Amino acid sequence: MNITIIGTGYVGLVTGACFSEMGSRVTCVDVDKEKIQNLKKGILPIYEPGLENLVIQNYKEGVLKFSTSLEKTSENSNIFIIAVGTPPGEDGSADLQYVLKVAEQIGQIINEYSVIVDKSTVPVGTAERVKKTIQKQLDARKLNIEFDVVSNPEFLKEGAAVTDFLKPDRIVVGADSKRAAKTMKRLYAPFSRNRDKLILMNVRDAEMTKYAANSMLATKISFMNEISNICERLGVDVENVRKGIGSDNRIGYSFIYPGCGYGGSCFPKDVQALIRSSRDSGLEPELLNSVEKRNQLQKYLLPLKIKQCFGEDLSNKTFGVWGLSFKPGTDDMREASSLVIIEQLLKSGAGIKAYDPVAMEQAKKEFPTDWFNNNQLVFSENQYNAVENADALILVTEWKAFRQPDFKQLSQKMKQKIIFDGRNQYDPEEVREYGFEYHGIGRETIN
């Protein structure tokens, strides 16, 4: 099948690479000329395990192409996948200007029956707006061309997106016509060989499913973070509680790991957008408000613990930070907890030496240059350089390289033997055996 994907960000690039891997002919379109030229050279704008090889190989074989012109690519395609960004507005609502702009352009170029797929995460009712936008352009052209707008939300985990796309646990498709549903079934047939993974529903249901899924997962995280704070005040080890409730198959172990808050391009934005949609409908979403509030508060927990240990003035203190990205397996810094944690410590006068396996280049764009220029914030070559003469180690992102550290080497390098474990990765007893003072999440009593 011939597919045009508009947008070469995280979703668009993974979608294009994976469809081309399964035999479809794909053209990815983006207005960013530099990005398109880099993609043709095999230079990707994001880090995602396995993606680079797919892009380079399928581009070399000619089944994956890149272009800045939607009009030129439309001649051989009647499936258009919209995968542009929907950043949050000031009120938390999803900004649809890029989606609607693409819809307008599609309406200006299609000449035969086409299926327009909303892959971007969009609020309920967006497909109707896309349809009206396209129809307006067709009316201006005085053409009577049939088309369908389909909702096909992505459920990709950053750090495992390629695997998630190639081996999905479900494929949600919202289609209001049999013709569009048939096209989507054919498109996804290579991904459903073992069993039918396609879940068909109407368009509005599919739009809501994406928001509900991410909000549910965010709720589990915030719930467990709330429990961890209660545990800390009652002298309870939240890790034992987590194991106890996770063994209940109605709850499970996924997304009940306490930590220093969730981030990324999905959970924060989607929870905020659903809150906005709910308010617009006349319902105050009390639970979602609490999920959002707890997550924001959680990002300030480690700075609070550090100041309780060292005092409010951190001018003569240096901290080694392990992990910058919002989660392991990605260089995505959007809404990362490290941004809040490092900013709070720097504002209190601390010096920071940080290390992340892949996210340091992206992270440099997130902090004021003054902090780098005066060496208050330094990015280190490796994880052990980051703790040289440090007063404490702060674990923020649980990369595999950080899970079994050499505590003897840490002892030799650090000025003070203190660890703030923002993801509860370490066994407190083992850490203390090496003479370290340990502070986890929900694993110590606050007097």
Side-chain angles (χ1 to χ4, degrees), residues 29-310:
V29 180
D30 201 292
V31 295
D32 189 331
K33 294 180 180 179
E34 183 180 0
K35 182 189 287 188
I36 292 297
Q37 287 302 315
N38 282 336
L39 284 167
K40 290 178 179 180
K41 298 174 185 176
I43 303 172
L44 276 60
I46 58 172
Y47 172 80
E48 181 64 36
L51 181 59
E52 184 177 355
N53 288 339
L54 284 187
V55 170
I56 293 173
Q57 185 62 33
N58 287 296
Y59 178 74
K60 187 182 299 183
E61 293 178 359
V63 291
L64 177 61
K65 297 181 179 180
F66 300 102
S67 175
T68 56
S69 174
L70 179 58
E71 184 175 2
K72 290 180 180 178
T73 63
S74 66
E75 297 173 359
N76 299 314
S77 175
N78 66 342
I79 299 176
F80 297 87
I81 299 178
I82 302 176
V84 295
T86 53
E90 292 184 4
D91 61 356
S93 61
D95 185 346
L96 298 178
Q97 62 172 312
Y98 304 114
V99 171
L100 297 178
K101 181 63 177 178
V102 170
E104 185 179 274
Q105 293 171 347
I106 291 173
Q108 293 168 355
I109 61 174
I110 58 173
N111 291 302
E112 61 177 338
Y113 172 77
S114 299
V115 175
I116 293 83
V117 182
D118 277 338
K119 199 74 173 170
S120 302
T121 302
V122 293
V124 174
T126 299
E128 295 163 14
R129 295 182 64 182
V130 169
K131 190 170 186 176
K132 288 179 181 178
T133 301
I134 295 172
Q135 189 60 56
K136 183 178 179 181
Q137 295 302 315
L138 291 175
D139 291 343
R141 295 167 64 197
K142 297 181 180 180
L143 294 176
N144 183 22
I145 297 173
E146 292 187 15
F147 68 95
D148 283 299
V149 179
V150 168
S151 175
N152 174 217
E154 52 83 17
F155 297 95
L156 307 176
K157 298 186 295 292
E158 291 194 42
V162 171
T163 300
D164 285 348
F165 200 105
L166 295 175
K167 299 178 180 179
D169 50 11
R170 84 283 206 197
I171 301 164
V172 173
V173 171
D176 291 337
S177 81
K178 291 182 179 180
R179 190 176 183 183
K182 185 177 180 180
T183 299
M184 296 301 290
K185 282 183 178 180
R186 184 183 167 206
L187 178 64
Y188 277 105
F191 303 90
S192 301
R193 294 299 186 193
N194 295 332
R195 61 179 176 85
D196 187 6
K197 301 175 183 178
L198 203 70
I199 302 174
L200 281 171
M201 56 186 72
N202 69 42
V203 172
R204 293 175 71 89
D205 293 349
E207 290 172 333
M208 184 61 181
T209 297
K210 170 66 175 181
Y211 278 117
N214 280 351
S215 295
M216 180 64 200
L217 297 176
T219 298
K220 291 184 74 174
I221 295 171
S222 281
F223 171 81
M224 205 63 206
N225 282 334
E226 185 91 329
I227 291 296
S228 74
N229 285 288
I230 298 171
C231 286
E232 199 157 279
R233 284 155 178 78
L234 297 178
V236 174
D237 188 341
V238 72
E239 286 301 304
N240 290 328
V241 175
R242 178 185 65 79
K243 294 172 185 176
I245 66 173
S247 61
D248 186 331
N249 59 20
R250 296 171 300 175
I251 298 172
Y253 290 104
S254 297
F255 292 89
I256 61 167
Y257 291 85
C260 45
Y262 60 76
S265 63
C266 293
F267 290 5
K269 176 173 69 72
D270 293 353
V271 170
Q272 292 167 15
L274 190 53
I275 288 172
R276 183 73 260 169
S277 293
S278 180
R279 287 174 178 165
D280 289 345
S281 74
L283 176 67
E284 188 61 34
E286 303 293 351
L287 177 58
L288 293 178
N289 286 338
S290 297
V291 169
E292 169 70 6
K293 183 178 180 180
R294 166 44 56 202
N295 189 57
Q296 293 301 320
L297 290 172
Q298 201 72 12
K299 294 181 180 182
Y300 290 86
L301 184 59
L302 281 182
L304 175 64
K305 286 174 173 286
I306 290 165
K307 290 177 183 179
Q308 287 174 336
C309 182
F310 292 101

Side-chain angles (χ1 to χ4, degrees), residues 327-358:
K327 63 177 283 189
T330 180
D331 62 351
D332 196 340
M333 289 295 300
R334 286 173 287 186
E335 301 286 340
S337 299
S338 64
L339 297 175
V340 173
I341 294 166
I342 289 174
E343 180 184 33
Q344 289 298 303
L345 297 178
L346 290 174
K347 285 184 176 179
S348 296
I352 299 291
K353 293 193 292 185
Y355 173 75
D356 188 285
V358 302

